[in-house]
Amino acid sequence: MRADRIFAYGAAAGLIGDLLLGDPRRGHPVAAFGRAAAAVESRLWRDHRGRGVLHTLVCAGGATGAAALAARAVRNRPAAAVALTAAATWSVVGGTSLGREARAIGGALAAGDVELARERLPHLCGRDPQSLDAQQIARAVVESVAENTSDAVVGALVWGALGGVPGLVGFRAVNTLDAMVGHKSPRHRRYGWASARLDDVAGWPGARLTAVLAVAAGGRPRAAVRAWRADAGRHPSPNAGPVEASFAGALGVRLGGTLAYGGRVEHRPVLNGDAGRDVRVADIERAVRLSRRVSVLALAVCAAGRLARGRRAG
């Protein structure tokens, strides 16, 4: 069986597994990687960029190398290769858990339990929840659903189509490192520089595909394109900007503005400010549904692209 078909079948099975099962409650491979990366950090940390580069090479390189060895071990066994691709895809994508957490917060807000929503928000994003009211929590959830659709699903599928199992695992490793050390806290401002920059590079294609698919699947294509073109470049993140702006336009809401993150206050530009309205609790469910449509379309696009590349090579 050709490698392009192995990816298409395996990625489809893995994404279906995520849709049906979500993340495992215990023994998640990404959590195991996080613990290993934390152990490496405890050994290597210095307030120096060079140490951070080494940390990134050891962790992301080690995970990608292990995945490459596993893929090489099954390359002559198509059924095993499909199973490995399915397992890797299921392990690295997180769309169902993303939607589950978002809906749990939305349910708490709908019931008027703002304190419960504040307690659950750190499961979804790194905002400081205590200073947020119900509307601000709802906005944070929608922004996180948009950004994580790219980070937790689409980006992984793009790199899987490009690099197979090593691409899937390598992207997730880089994204996890960015979440752990890539933020601009005093401890990680220099040490996490390499992880943050590598995540920007790795996330670039997935973010653009996510934005395109949000335009296609959101039901308001002109508004989504208009918000993307007008506001994405004003966002401090080169990848979150297009994704959040296209989601804002597709949903007809305003995103961005002042937020507290990692112990500091940021004043981000408002996305879709002229045409959108404030986020409501009901918009959380709309964002989750849009995220799921984008994820399914991303699988179709990535599988089709990989199959087309395989046919040309053949």
Side-chain angles (χ1 to χ4, degrees):
M1 187 185 297
R2 294 193 323 231
D4 55 337
R5 293 181 180 176
I6 288 172
F7 170 75
Y9 298 156
L15 190 62
I16 290 171
D18 177 67
L19 293 173
L20 294 177
L21 304 173
D23 291 333
R25 298 292 184 182
R26 296 181 180 178
H28 198 299
V30 175
F33 172 81
R35 289 191 295 270
V40 172
E41 181 185 355
S42 69
R43 298 270 186 167
L44 290 181
W45 186 87
R46 297 288 187 279
D47 191 16
H48 190 273
R49 282 188 177 183
R51 286 298 187 105
V53 170
L54 180 59
H55 176 259
T56 303
L57 290 174
V58 169
C59 296
T64 306
L69 290 174
R72 183 180 179 86
V74 299
R75 62 180 178 176
N76 295 322
R77 292 180 287 161
V82 170
L84 178 64
T85 304
T89 303
W90 176 64
S91 297
V92 303
V93 301
T96 296
S97 294
L98 171 65
R100 184 182 297 135
E101 289 294 337
R103 283 171 168 148
I105 298 170
L109 291 175
D113 195 342
V114 179
E115 285 304 317
L116 178 58
R118 289 186 179 124
E119 289 177 12
R120 295 198 67 98
L121 187 62
H123 293 263
L124 191 64
C125 64
R127 306 285 175 88
D128 296 331
Q130 296 307 314
S131 62
L132 303 181
D133 60 23
Q135 192 279 325
Q136 291 169 325
I137 292 173
R139 190 194 79 197
V141 172
V142 171
E143 290 170 354
S144 296
V145 168
E147 185 175 0
N148 283 295
T149 300
S150 176
D151 288 344
V153 183
V154 180
L157 292 174
V158 168
W159 281 100
L162 294 172
V165 171
L168 287 164
V169 173
F171 174 81
R172 189 59 170 162
V174 169
N175 187 249
T176 302
L177 287 178
D178 178 61
M180 294 178 68
V181 303
H183 45 84
K184 295 180 180 179
S185 66
R187 176 179 173 86
H188 294 129
R189 189 176 301 276
R190 281 182 282 270
Y191 186 83
W193 174 85
S195 292
R197 298 290 78 75
L198 183 58
D199 183 67
D200 287 343
V201 173
W204 197 95
R208 273 71 194 169
L209 179 58
T210 303
V212 169
L213 296 179
V215 170
R220 298 164 53 93
R222 291 185 179 178
V225 169
R226 184 168 56 249
W228 180 3
R229 293 180 62 184
D231 298 328
R234 299 164 56 224
H235 197 284
S237 168
N239 295 329
V243 173
E244 291 186 18
S246 62
F247 264 68
L251 296 172
V253 300
R254 287 191 294 267
L255 300 178
T258 301
L259 57 88
Y261 181 86
R264 68 186 187 280
V265 175
E266 291 186 10
H267 301 283
R268 293 184 178 178
V270 176
L271 308 178
N272 198 37
D274 294 335
R277 55 167 173 78
D278 287 342
V279 175
R280 301 168 184 161
V281 174
D283 294 319
I284 293 176
E285 179 62 28
R286 296 176 61 224
V288 171
R289 291 180 179 177
L290 177 57
S291 173
R292 181 160 290 200
R293 293 196 296 271
V294 167
S295 299
V296 173
L297 287 174
L299 172 64
V301 170
C302 291
R306 187 69 180 87
L307 289 168
R309 192 177 74 178
R311 284 195 294 269
R312 286 197 300 270

